[in-house]
Amino acid sequence: MKITKNLYLMAAAVLALVSCGQKQAGTVGASSEVESRIEHILGQMTLAEKIGQMNQVSAGGEVSNYAEAIRKGQVGSILNEVDPVKLNEFQRLAVEESRLGIPLLVGRDVIHGFHTIFPIPLGLAATFDPALVEEGARIAAVEATAQGVRWTFSPMLDIARDPRWGRIAEGSGEDTYLDARMAEAMVHGYQGEVLDTTSMAACVKHFVGYGAAEGGRDYNSTFLTERQLRNFYLPPFEAAIKAGAMTLMTSFNDNDGVPSTGNAFVVKDILRGEWGFDGLVVTDWDSMGEMIDHGFGADRKDVAEKAINAGVDMDMMTYGFLSHLEELVKEGAVKQSAIDQAVRNILRIKIMLGLFEHPYVDVEAAKAVQYAPEHLAAARKTAEESAILLKNDGILPLRGKGRILVTGPMADAPWDQLGTWCFDGQKEHTVTPLKALQERFPGQVTYVPGLRFSREKRESFADVVSAARSADVVLAFLGEEAILSGEAHCLADLNLIGSQSELLAALKATGKPVVATILAGRPLTIERDLPNCNAVLYSFHPGTMGGPALASLLSGDANPSGKTPITFLRTVGQAPLYYNHNMTGRPYRGEKLLADIDLEAGQTSLGNTSYYLDYGAYPLFPFGYGLSYTTFEYSNASLDKKEYGVEDTITLSFTLSNTGEYKGTEVVQVYVRDLVGTLTRPVKELKAFERVELASGESRTVTLQIPVQSLAFWGLDGVKKVEPGDFQLWVAGDSATGEALSFKVL
Ligand code: BGC
């Protein structure tokens, strides 16, 4: 029977009424009614219509350019159009004018906010506050879905240990545990507690290993062993999928020779097989086509075959599926069942998002939610929590009095403070530090930019220096323009760019106190600048409300609580340097550095340990580091037992005291080391954290639970398990301090 559109819609509506039944086993949580609805639709589809669903098109420009393809059912998803009027028209073409009326899935890179821009993801991670990060993702979803975007290509879960890699800005940094907690928070935030019209499907990316690009050069090869993947790179993805992430994107890189988009081992065996993922797998932009450039496939037909047979459902912008799948099925190179499975995965998301019932948006209502006051307030709070106080000789907080010179290229850079991957945030809505400080300290602020943008070079700073002489304190806003980090924006030199270091030196020479606030997309190597600053506040690009957030922190209206989600290097030559490295056979023991080495010293006189003769073995700031205007003391740390079974939970208690003058929040962190394993184990691994707010003088007993199972790792035998033996545990305010407690796993 030929199904007419109306008949189809009626059937869909009837099924929609009952689609809230029992949940099934799949990771995205579709009910059996959803599954039967999928089969019902699938049963009506021609092979060409099925393949059309697997095609994603970038649809900027005139709607009419895509109308014919949509009518013919050749487009399953579009990206890069956010105008709600156009999106309604796109949906109308799909729903009213294509044979089966299947709505489009509209995707967009909503990475750290839609219109209201939050700090870049590296800054989000610095908050160590999953609840707040979830709230930000929810806000992004509310704004974006109101305009018709129901799918975001976020969160990016790529562990990154090399700050030269520009996309380090877009993830949660170097730690697997922190990344996993941020992943869950963002998935929950985007998709919402229950799926409704404000739910935006999350897309975890880039699967997998992309952040380990050799030399920190984007798109470069990675060489991760299966054990490295399983112990460090895969767990955040698994956590996100357990949290219900509906979609996943394959990455650009080849790992040990196999490009991810053609990697059946990671997509089919691990993602689908081991984790049971029944969501949608999309390629990265033309990553299918790029398998030809990798030399992994001869032509588009060849790579289309490789991609579908590896488990990919949707092709972003190669048109490889659209052009060749039909032929490949006829030739028997691709099974019809593989196509059916891919289409099921796509329809499942569309049905669960309610797109069949609600393909259109209310254009007027969409306007009302953008930049809503509560969205701006959340963005401000997040920016406040994400800034990290790296140095303070007591000059901060400013507490109000005196003349303030504001200078530096990032003081009034409304576009650049939004950071990378900001397609929809408008700089007209940005509040810069200059504007916020002028409001906070009326009549006290003088502004002399010194440098107009971060890359600018200048010989003399006479104007700034003379203004500094008449000020009581200098606030220098430095860092990187937004374009210097993000996709393909890698750097080989991580010192402050342009003449920013010279500006700081000139300011220091005036003898006035200098506070540097750095707005950047990555941890820059600022060691040479530290002596020229009395205080350093580090804010990864903080977004729309970065100005008020930083003004609150500098003035003391708020107290910094951010912690480094990534190791800060002394010099770029140390990269990669990360806290959870394996123990070497010859750890550094403080051996001589260049200046102390005798002339004609004997070959073995330096002790032969693991370090650089010029820079030693340690970073500038370790992972998890960050100061406050108050001080915290840890005491009475104890574990509830000395020995645990593998299914037990460790209860750690300690007293945290605020020993300073200000109310403040400490991010308490728990690290564990497995002393002897069948493999060498990391020197420390983060296993728990919590933000604890204390009034000045207040002490509190804090209790944290660590399941012994969280100490499991993939061993030599290819099995994930906890190995019995001796462990050490630290609770501290960063990864480099604290006193070890001991326990045993039986
Ligand atoms: C990026 C992805 C992004 C996609 C769509 C690619 O270049 O690698 O992260 O989601 O473009 O814009």
Side-chain angles (χ1 to χ4, degrees), residues 261 263-264 267-268 271-272 281 306-313 345:
T261 301
N263 191 335
V267 180
K268 264 201 165 151
L271 174 73
R272 301 284 194 201
V281 175
K306 289 199 160 88
I308 179 125
N309 287 336
V312 166
D313 302 320
N345 297 338

Side-chain angles (χ1 to χ4, degrees), residues 128-374:
F128 282 71
D129 191 344
L132 189 62
V133 169
E134 178 174 337
E135 189 187 338
R138 186 87 285 274
I139 287 168
V142 165
E143 291 190 358
T145 57
Q147 292 199 190
V149 174
R150 300 298 305 278
W151 184 18
T152 176
F153 305 118
S154 171
M156 186 188 98
L157 305 182
D158 300 311
I159 298 292
R161 294 167 167 178
D162 191 331
R164 291 173 293 181
W165 190 52
R167 298 197 87 167
I168 200 165
E170 240 185 286
S172 295
E174 73 191 33
D175 185 63
T176 302
Y177 180 82
L178 177 61
D179 194 15
R181 301 295 79 79
M182 291 295 152
E184 292 159 348
M186 288 168 102
V187 168
H188 288 146
Y190 289 139
Q191 298 185 175
E193 234 160 69
V194 284
L195 294 175
D196 62 20
T197 51
T198 68
S199 296
M200 180 162 67
C203 183
V204 293
K205 69 187 190 185
H206 305 84
F207 200 66
V208 60
Y210 180 49
E214 209 178 35
R217 292 189 300 283
D218 207 2
Y219 314 124
N220 219 348
S221 296
T222 61
F223 297 93
L224 298 166
T225 64
E226 183 182 339
R227 248 197 316 276
Q228 281 171 303
L229 282 174
R230 290 191 182 276
N231 284 329
F232 296 103
Y233 292 83
L234 287 167
F237 286 92
E238 191 177 4
I241 279 157
K242 281 198 181 132
M246 297 175 103
T247 81
L248 172 141
M249 184 187 290
T250 58
S251 56
F252 287 126
N253 59 297
D254 67 312
N255 186 41
D256 201 14
V258 186
S260 301
T261 301
N263 191 335
F265 172 61
V266 291
V267 180
K268 264 201 165 151
D269 298 353
I270 296 183
L271 174 73
R272 301 284 194 201
E274 292 179 25
W275 302 345
F277 182 60
D278 62 347
L280 185 176
V281 175
V282 65
T283 70
D284 202 342
W285 183 287
D286 194 27
S287 67
M288 183 190 298
E290 286 175 17
M291 291 201 286
I292 305 169
D293 304 272
H294 276 289
F296 191 74
D299 49 31
R300 269 208 308 181
K301 183 175 167 191
D302 192 14
V303 292
E305 178 185 336
K306 289 199 160 88
I308 179 125
N309 287 336
V312 166
D313 302 320
M314 188 180 277
D315 166 7
M316 183 192 286
M317 290 307 289
T318 296
Y319 298 100
F321 284 171
L322 195 71
S323 321
H324 299 290
L325 274 189
E326 206 157 347
E327 205 182 331
L328 286 164
V329 171
K330 283 190 186 122
E331 290 166 10
V334 171
K335 292 198 182 104
Q336 170 77 47
S337 59
I339 310 262
D340 286 349
Q341 199 45 50
V343 177
R344 282 191 188 99
N345 297 338
I346 294 164
L347 291 176
R348 188 172 295 118
I349 304 307
K350 293 188 175 184
I351 295 172
M352 290 183 74
L353 287 175
L355 279 169
F356 284 87
E357 294 74 33
H358 304 284
Y360 306 118
V361 292
D362 177 336
V363 176
E364 282 313 306
K367 288 184 193 148
V369 299
Q370 312 304 325
Y371 300 110
E374 64 274 22

Side-chain angles (χ1 to χ4, degrees), residues 639-680:
L639 303 177
D640 61 332
K641 294 200 243 170
K642 287 200 162 4
E643 298 177 342
Y644 297 91
V646 289
E647 298 304 332
D648 287 350
T649 293
I650 301 166
T651 302
L652 160 73
S653 325
F654 59 96
T655 308
L656 184 72
S657 308
N658 179 341
T659 50
E661 287 169 27
Y662 299 91
K663 178 174 94 172
T665 298
E666 168 76 326
V667 177
V668 300
Q669 301 156 48
V670 178
Y671 295 90
V672 174
R673 178 169 168 204
D674 186 350
L675 291 187
V676 181
T678 52
L679 295 168
T680 49

